[in-house]
Amino acid sequence: MNPENKERSDIGDVETSGDSYHLNISTNQQDERMKRAAAKELIEKLYFQLIEGCGNLDCTNDHCASSIKHSLCSNEAAAMAITIVKSNQAKLCGARPIKVARQASGSHSPSTSAQEQSQPVDASGEELPNSVNIQSTKAKKLTETKIKSKTSTHSPSKKFHLYLTEDIIYELLETGKEEASYSHLNQTIGRVFSDADFLKRSFLKYSSNTPKKEPKFCLESKNDDVDVSTGDLDKDIDSLQVSEQDACYSRTLSAASASDDNNITVDIESVRRVYARLFALPGLPFQNCLINAVTTLSLSYQVELKYHRSKEKTRNFLNPFVIVMEIPELQNTEYLKSALPEFCKAAAELSVDSQAALARLWMHYGRERLQDMVNTLQQLITVKVVDSQDLRSYTVADDVTVLAAARLLKVVFYANLLAGRRDSSEQVTRELQVEDADEESMQDFFQGAMGSPKEAKAPVEDKLAKEISLRMIDVREPVIPYANFHNDIVSEQLETDRSFHDHFCVNFPFLLTIPAKVQGLYFEHRLRMFQERRYSVLQALVHDAQPNPYLRLRVRRDNIIDDALVRLEMIAMENPTDLKKQLYVEFEGEQGIDEGGVSKEFFQLVVDYLFNPDYAMFTCDPETNVVWFNTTSFETDRQFTLIGIILGLAIYNNVILDIHFPMVVYRKLMGKVGVFEDLKDSHPTIAKSLQTLLDYDGDDVEDVFMLSFRVGYSDVFGATLTHDLKEDADKIPVNRANREEFTNLYADFLLNKMASRQFRAFKAGFQMVTDVSPLKQLFRPDELEILVCGSKDFDFNALEGSTEYDNGYSKNHSTIRQFWEVVHDMSDEQKKALLMFTTGSDRVPAGGLSKLKMIIARHGPDSER
């Protein structure tokens, strides 16, 4: 190297070769700290050169943003700056990067400042001779023009923000208001919201003793004793940290509490205040930048979650999902086009534990905010389905956007459940133990009946529910009603026959209305019937036997219970899977083919007989007209098992029954146990008395009520019997301290222990038919009641609206108008009789009478008769 190209600085030698600068680090121990400072300064200048450029439109420096074809993010620029210094190939352009230290106000004019920036500099910031880097006159003019054009957006007084806080946004808003331009606000929002690393560390929670500081770029050393000698330059550069948020940021912001789920550390209230200020701006000048940034952010997250799953465990990874979901205008058309769909696709890629963390966070949002999130996602689903439903090959279950939005809505749904009123953990633990015991007994029964393990299809597991340890049936009252999650458009357009095959209905039952679920369950059961039919024919061909594709019941009207009991019991013992075949009923001595009507009549006759008070299998409450198991009945468990089988067969064959069970029966069928709250439906008189005991304010409970832990009840003959709720019950008086324990034990005795034998047999018969049905995954107990008994809404106006006409009749025909006038004047009993005459059942199907497809047709021409 020529001597004239070598200069001596205070910290070392700087060699120039063309437009290259090499920092030669000496081994003088006294200059180590200054050498480290030089290295850090060189990296910092390279960083800003890679980010902002030199301002020269004709720049050919590969290490300058003015010549690089694509822009670099902050992390890429920092890493590249370190790599360049390590390779000893650092090149600084003749013009300084526009991002320079702030000058004292009034010290230089703009022209002077621009001129100074155009001077070549070395690593220490000193000007180099003009001969080192001489630009043409044209290049100088272009440089000055570009610098002047950027003065409004890149002036030294404007800061390069690498994350956002509430104060930063307010400062940008004030600056934009003063300058009558929000360009810097737009650039900052676009930069931060499009970069996951920036947004992860925005709007973080502060500790009470941590001051809020303006973020800045800085270079920090992990070790003050870094050796920057020439031989250890690589190791020493590695010890230098380009810290956009880490070192300086860690001194500015505090970490959130360790109890935060998955390190979600967003200050929600701060984010909401910021959005309120931003969206109060006239014309929303930042909105396009925000939409584009969210779209870019979502696409990057999709890639990270697909190919770099390990990053999901990093700190603050979920913060951007929380921040974006707080955008108040997500329901608007601009967001529904690209930003929100891509965001939902990114959220759909989250692991189950991350989704559970979001659910646990959102459960604290309150009803109003949760409802806003539900409305936003429902809007996206509805718009997507409506826009695509006319396409010939379109199916809801295959729509990627609908699936992604449904997965995110499922997280909100479980947040709603977590925030609702739930059963106690002790009760849930007990229920799981009871369910395991019932499952073992059923397995033992089927083993003895078939001699081989029972064929069963494993139910679709809800991984999110398992992760947060919550079942839908454990929630007594959610914050938002279940009906608010139903999507009528999806329920109408859903292809239920194939959606069950794709598990759409089972994975997202909260989206579907009850009629859609009933229809889907019907297709699922029909598919199972066809499978059993094909299997039966195949077995007949293999064994050269008569095929038996149906569940045939041949009964006598005058002995229907015994005939049905014997036949069904034989089938249950020989091959319980035959119960899943299509039911075919024949009445002995009568001709007819069962196309559904004969089966409905069979069910009605059996139910009327078994629930007859004279049969004494059930007791009926005269106040509510609900029935309960007669614990002193002389009937064996076989009859109760038969009732369970009948109930299961009715569901399996889509038949509605006239049964008046209290809600607690359906809850117990789905794995719950009865508690005091359930007494209001099954034993209303006792429930009122116990509630009076609990509400009594006086201290003389023992003297006023004169109760002990020994309770009495009557048998079928009216004799009084007693039961001890605990040991030495007659010696323990009920007082103010133990009255809650007394009510809980009493309710447990009435609902669970007293009728345990009868209910166990009843449930066993029910599970023989529904063990492989997705009943529990689809329906809640209140929906199961509607599935069994039908709706209680006799809205004949809805039936009139859904009725079709044929053979000359129309809704405006005089005969039709007169017919409906007569129908609307009927009593409820007469309307039930009309339903029985026209449909074979006096029950209203799930979804109301509008779901009945009744056709009124003229039978031949008019006559004089």
Side-chain angles (χ1 to χ4, degrees):
M1 181 175 296
N2 297 329
E4 61 273 18
N5 292 338
K6 184 174 182 179
E7 299 181 8
R8 183 69 179 177
S9 68
D10 294 336
I11 60 173
D13 295 334
V14 177
E15 296 181 358
T16 62
S17 176
D19 56 354
S20 299
Y21 302 86
H22 303 277
L23 178 64
N24 295 330
I25 308 298
S26 66
T27 59
N28 190 343
Q29 296 298 323
Q30 296 178 354
D31 296 335
E32 287 182 357
R33 293 185 179 275
M34 299 182 67
K35 295 170 185 175
R36 285 199 304 271
K40 290 161 59 176
E41 184 180 2
L42 179 58
I43 294 174
E44 184 174 356
K45 290 183 177 181
L46 282 171
Y47 171 83
F48 284 118
Q49 182 173 281
L50 290 168
I51 288 292
E52 297 291 341
C54 64
N56 180 11
L57 297 180
D58 294 334
C59 181
T60 58
N61 188 354
D62 294 337
H63 303 154
C64 179
S66 299
S67 65
I68 299 177
K69 299 299 182 181
H70 61 280
S71 60
L72 301 174
C73 69
S74 57
N75 289 339
E76 293 173 339
M80 188 173 181
I82 294 176
T83 303
I84 292 171
V85 173
K86 289 171 61 176
S87 64
N88 211 21
Q89 296 295 325
K91 294 181 180 180
L92 292 179
C93 295
R96 292 180 185 268
I98 296 175
K99 183 73 176 183
V100 295
R102 184 180 298 180
Q103 300 288 341
S105 60
S107 60
H108 297 283
S109 64
S111 60
T112 305
S113 176
Q115 184 179 359
E116 291 177 354
Q117 290 183 19
S118 64
Q119 294 296 328
V121 295
D122 65 1
S124 63
E126 297 181 357
E127 296 183 3
L128 296 178
N130 292 334
S131 58
V132 176
N133 188 4
I134 300 176
Q135 299 183 9
S136 64
T137 304
K138 179 180 178 181
K140 289 182 179 179
K141 292 182 179 180
L142 288 174
T143 301
E144 294 173 357
T145 301
K146 186 171 183 179
I147 292 176
K148 290 179 181 179
S149 66
K150 290 187 176 183
T151 301
S152 59
T153 59
H154 294 287
S155 62
S157 61
K158 294 187 177 179
K159 303 172 183 177
F160 184 80
H161 300 291
L162 302 180
Y163 60 87
L164 293 177
T165 64
E166 190 173 357
D167 292 340
I168 292 174
I169 292 294
Y170 292 166
E171 180 183 346
L172 292 173
L173 287 172
E174 291 299 326
T175 303
K177 183 178 180 180
E178 294 174 358
E179 298 179 355
S181 173
Y182 292 97
S183 59
H184 193 42
L185 172 68
N186 296 344
Q187 291 177 2
T188 303
I189 289 178
R191 180 191 307 117
V192 174
F193 273 82
S194 62
D195 193 306
D197 291 330
F198 292 170
L199 196 57
K200 286 176 188 176
R201 297 170 176 178
S202 298
F203 306 109
L204 293 194
K205 298 176 183 176
Y206 290 88
S207 64
S208 58
N209 57 356
T210 302
K212 298 180 182 180
K213 298 181 180 179
E214 182 71 14
K216 62 179 181 178
F217 179 93
C218 66
L219 289 169
E220 298 249 329
S221 174
K222 289 183 178 179
N223 184 2
D224 289 338
D225 299 327
V226 178
D227 183 7
V228 288
S229 60
T230 306
D232 294 332
L233 180 60
D234 291 345
K235 181 179 71 174
D236 300 330
I237 292 297
D238 290 337
S239 70
L240 296 175
Q241 296 297 306
V242 178
S243 176
E244 303 160 6
Q245 285 90 9
D246 295 340
C248 295
Y249 177 86
S250 64
R251 297 195 302 266
T252 305
L253 299 176
S254 67
S257 61
S259 61
D260 288 334
D261 287 307
N262 206 26
N263 289 326
I264 301 177
T265 55
V266 179
D267 188 345
I268 304 298
E269 294 303 322
S270 176
V271 173
R272 292 174 181 174
R273 288 192 297 268
V274 165
Y275 282 139
R277 287 284 298 273
L278 285 174
F279 283 89
L281 285 176
L284 304 180
F286 62 89
Q287 183 153 264
N288 289 335
C289 294
L290 181 60
I291 292 173
N292 295 333
V294 171
T295 304
T296 303
L297 174 74
S298 302
L299 293 173
S300 65
Y301 257 115
Q302 292 176 36
V303 175
E304 284 191 9
L305 289 168
K306 285 182 180 180
Y307 304 108
H308 305 286
R309 180 65 69 176
S310 60
K311 291 187 178 182
E312 193 172 0
K313 302 298 181 182
T314 59
R315 185 174 181 79
N316 303 335
F317 185 84
L318 295 178
N319 284 12
F321 292 94
V322 178
I323 295 173
V324 172
M325 278 301 294
E326 289 298 321
I327 297 176
E329 299 292 333
L330 283 178
Q331 297 185 45
N332 287 353
T333 306
E334 292 81 0
Y335 293 89
L336 293 177
K337 291 179 180 179
S338 60
L340 186 57
E342 297 300 333
F343 175 76
C344 290
K345 292 175 186 177
E349 297 291 338
L350 291 171
S351 63
V352 176
D353 56 342
S354 295
Q355 293 178 4
L358 289 175
R360 294 190 187 98
L361 173 69
W362 289 340
M363 66 177 285
H364 302 292
Y365 275 17
R367 177 173 182 173
E368 183 177 353
R369 181 67 193 107
L370 285 175
Q371 185 64 63
D372 290 339
M373 297 170 71
V374 172
N375 294 341
T376 297
L377 297 173
Q378 291 280 27
Q379 180 81 354
L380 173 61
I381 294 173
T382 300
V383 168
K384 184 62 177 177
V385 173
V386 171
D387 289 345
S388 306
Q389 63 183 353
D390 293 334
L391 300 178
R392 174 176 294 182
S393 60
Y394 178 77
T395 57
V396 175
D398 293 337
D399 193 311
V400 178
T401 301
V402 172
L403 287 174
R407 290 191 181 100
L408 186 55
L409 184 60
K410 187 175 184 178
V411 178
V412 182
F413 176 75
Y414 274 100
N416 177 53
L417 296 183
L418 286 170
R421 185 167 59 88
R422 296 175 281 166
D423 293 328
S424 64
S425 57
E426 294 80 6
Q427 178 184 336
V428 174
T429 302
R430 177 189 173 190
E431 290 166 352
L432 294 176
Q433 294 173 351
V434 172
E435 192 171 2
D436 292 340
D438 292 342
E439 183 67 23
E440 290 180 3
S441 63
M442 287 298 299
Q443 290 286 352
D444 294 340
F445 171 81
F446 282 113
Q447 286 279 0
M450 302 173 61
S452 59
K454 172 174 69 77
E455 178 190 357
K457 180 177 63 175
V460 178
E461 183 182 32
D462 192 338
K463 297 180 180 179
L464 182 57
K466 183 178 179 181
E467 178 67 25
I468 61 180
S469 301
L470 178 67
R471 301 177 300 174
M472 186 166 54
I473 58 174
D474 295 334
V475 180
R476 287 278 181 171
E477 184 180 0
V479 175
I480 301 175
Y482 292 111
N484 291 18
F485 286 87
H486 295 166
N487 192 301
D488 295 333
I489 301 297
V490 172
S491 299
E492 293 174 2
Q493 297 294 328
L494 194 66
E495 308 79 9
T496 49
D497 54 341
R498 63 169 298 179
S499 296
F500 264 91
H501 176 71
D502 297 332
H503 302 308
F504 183 91
C505 295
V506 179
N507 287 329
F508 312 110
F510 57 87
L511 272 177
L512 308 180
T513 59
I514 296 180
K517 294 181 183 180
V518 173
Q519 186 73 3
L521 190 68
Y522 170 79
F523 278 108
E524 176 73 5
H525 290 165
R526 284 293 174 181
L527 179 61
R528 180 60 186 248
M529 292 177 186
F530 292 148
Q531 291 174 348
E532 292 292 338
R533 190 180 305 172
R534 289 196 296 266
Y535 181 75
S536 176
V537 173
L538 180 61
Q539 289 291 99
L541 293 174
V542 172
H543 300 287
D544 193 21
Q546 185 71 21
N548 184 24
Y550 298 100
L551 172 60
R552 293 183 177 272
L553 293 180
R554 186 177 181 85
V555 297
R556 296 167 292 178
R557 284 187 179 271
D558 56 352
N559 199 28
I560 188 172
I561 296 299
D562 291 339
D563 290 348
L565 176 62
V566 171
R567 177 59 179 157
L568 291 175
E569 189 175 21
M570 290 178 59
I571 293 174
M573 292 301 297
E574 292 176 359
N575 189 7
T577 56
D578 284 350
L579 294 173
K580 300 174 181 62
K581 295 179 179 179
Q582 184 176 352
L583 180 64
Y584 191 91
V585 179
E586 298 179 24
F587 285 102
E588 188 172 328
E590 300 181 12
Q591 295 181 352
I593 299 176
D594 187 5
E595 294 291 344
V598 180
S599 296
K600 290 182 179 180
E601 184 181 6
F602 163 77
F603 281 114
Q604 194 62 46
L605 292 173
V606 170
V607 167
D608 290 344
Y609 189 86
L610 292 176
F611 286 88
N612 192 320
D614 297 335
Y615 205 61
M617 291 184 66
F618 295 90
T619 59
C620 181
D621 186 279
E623 182 180 351
T624 60
N625 199 31
V626 298
V627 295
W628 188 251
F629 298 90
N630 186 356
T631 58
T632 59
S633 174
F634 294 109
E635 300 298 332
T636 64
D637 294 348
R638 296 166 56 196
Q639 275 81 0
F640 288 98
T641 303
L642 172 62
I643 297 177
I645 293 176
I646 291 296
L647 185 64
L649 286 176
I651 294 176
Y652 199 72
N653 290 272
N654 200 30
V655 177
I656 301 175
L657 301 179
D658 186 14
I659 297 179
H660 303 280
F661 279 131
M663 181 60 64
V664 65
V665 172
Y666 301 102
R667 289 179 60 83
K668 287 168 67 69
L669 283 175
M670 302 193 77
K672 301 295 292 181
V673 297
V675 294
F676 170 69
E677 187 175 349
D678 298 317
L679 279 179
K680 298 176 183 178
D681 294 328
S682 60
H683 302 76
T685 303
I686 297 176
K688 291 179 182 178
S689 300
L690 294 177
Q691 190 63 50
T692 302
L693 171 64
L694 293 174
D695 295 339
Y696 185 72
D697 293 333
D699 296 330
D700 54 345
V701 174
E702 183 176 348
D703 297 332
V704 172
F705 291 92
M706 294 185 293
L707 296 173
S708 68
F709 277 74
R710 175 174 288 178
V711 296
Y713 61 97
S714 301
D715 64 5
V716 68
F717 298 107
T720 301
L721 304 176
T722 61
H723 174 78
D724 291 345
L725 297 178
K726 58 193 306 185
E727 190 177 354
D728 297 329
D730 58 329
K731 300 178 182 179
I732 305 175
V734 177
N735 53 40
R736 188 180 182 88
N738 61 16
R739 59 182 177 179
E740 185 173 353
E741 179 188 8
F742 171 77
T743 56
N744 291 333
L745 291 175
Y746 195 8
D748 183 53
F749 167 67
L750 291 176
L751 299 178
N752 302 315
K753 296 179 179 179
M754 190 176 179
S756 60
R757 178 181 62 85
Q758 293 85 351
F759 184 81
R760 189 181 299 111
F762 170 73
K763 185 177 181 180
F766 181 77
Q767 288 183 334
M768 286 181 189
V769 186
T770 62
D771 58 329
V772 297
S773 173
L775 202 63
K776 291 184 179 181
Q777 286 80 19
L778 282 176
F779 294 91
R780 302 187 307 272
D782 57 315
E783 294 176 327
L784 180 60
E785 181 186 21
I786 296 177
L787 177 65
V788 173
C789 306
S791 175
K792 299 178 182 179
D793 184 15
F794 285 86
D795 185 5
F796 272 74
N797 290 318
L799 178 62
E800 180 182 0
S802 63
T803 300
E804 299 177 0
Y805 306 95
D806 198 5
N807 290 343
Y809 277 154
S810 66
K811 65 179 181 179
N812 296 322
H813 196 280
S814 59
T815 302
I816 298 301
R817 291 201 304 268
Q818 293 172 4
F819 169 77
W820 287 116
E821 289 176 1
V822 173
V823 169
H824 292 314
D825 291 337
M826 289 181 177
S827 64
D828 289 342
E829 293 301 323
Q830 289 174 325
K831 291 179 179 178
K832 288 183 179 180
L834 176 62
L835 287 178
M836 176 65 74
F837 173 74
T838 56
T839 66
S841 174
D842 63 351
R843 312 301 295 172
V844 179
L849 290 174
S850 62
K851 300 302 177 181
L852 284 178
K853 300 301 181 183
M854 189 168 70
I855 300 177
I856 300 179
R858 185 198 301 265
H859 185 61
D862 292 337
S863 65
E864 299 297 331
R865 297 177 58 187

